Each structure stands twice: as structure tokens, then as C-alpha cells.
Amino acid sequence: MPSTQETVQANAENRYQVTAADLPLSCPMPGMSLWNSHPKVYLPIEATGEAKCPYCGALYVMAAADQPQSAR
């Protein structure tokens, strides 16, 4: 039986805005379809507020309210 939860295509965008609720951050993120994606990799975004996936080049940016003081 197929899932009724809708998924987002993995690696379809070059930039994603994320929040503290998305931590720990991984690419592809939960909720992305994985059948045509690269292996899951965890990205260290907490220190700088930005992280780039080494596989697909997607840039993940923390929402301004969730960024560490040093990254503002």
C-alpha cells in the first residue's frame, strides 16, 4: 500500500532554508524521495548557520531566528 504522505524530490533545489527543528541536518532530508538520490550525509550547520552538501552541492541555510550569534 503506497504511503499517503507526500514527498519532495531530493536534490531538486540549490538552496534550502532550515530551522532548529530540522537538526540534526542531513542531505537528503527526511521527507525527500530517496530512490534517485545520493547516500545520506549529515551536515554540520550549527556553528556557522550554513552547510553545503559534498554530494549534490545543495546549500542549507538556517533561518535567521535559529542562527548562532556568531553567524548573524
Side-chain angles (χ1 to χ4, degrees):
M1 177 180 202
S3 172
T4 58
Q5 184 177 359
E6 206 169 304
T7 58
V8 177
Q9 182 178 351
N11 319 115
E13 297 182 32
N14 292 330
R15 187 177 192 278
Y16 296 92
Q17 184 168 329
V18 295
T19 66
D22 296 313
L23 299 179
L25 180 63
S26 65
C27 185
M29 293 177 62
M32 292 180 169
S33 60
L34 302 178
W35 68 269
N36 63 346
S37 188
H38 57 70
K40 182 183 225 178
V41 60
Y42 286 93
L43 304 172
I45 195 170
E46 295 87 356
T48 63
E50 289 187 3
K52 193 168 195 169
C53 176
Y55 285 104
C56 67
L59 177 64
Y60 292 87
V61 179
M62 289 289 285
D66 293 326
Q67 284 192 3
Q69 292 289 352
S70 61
R72 291 182 191 174

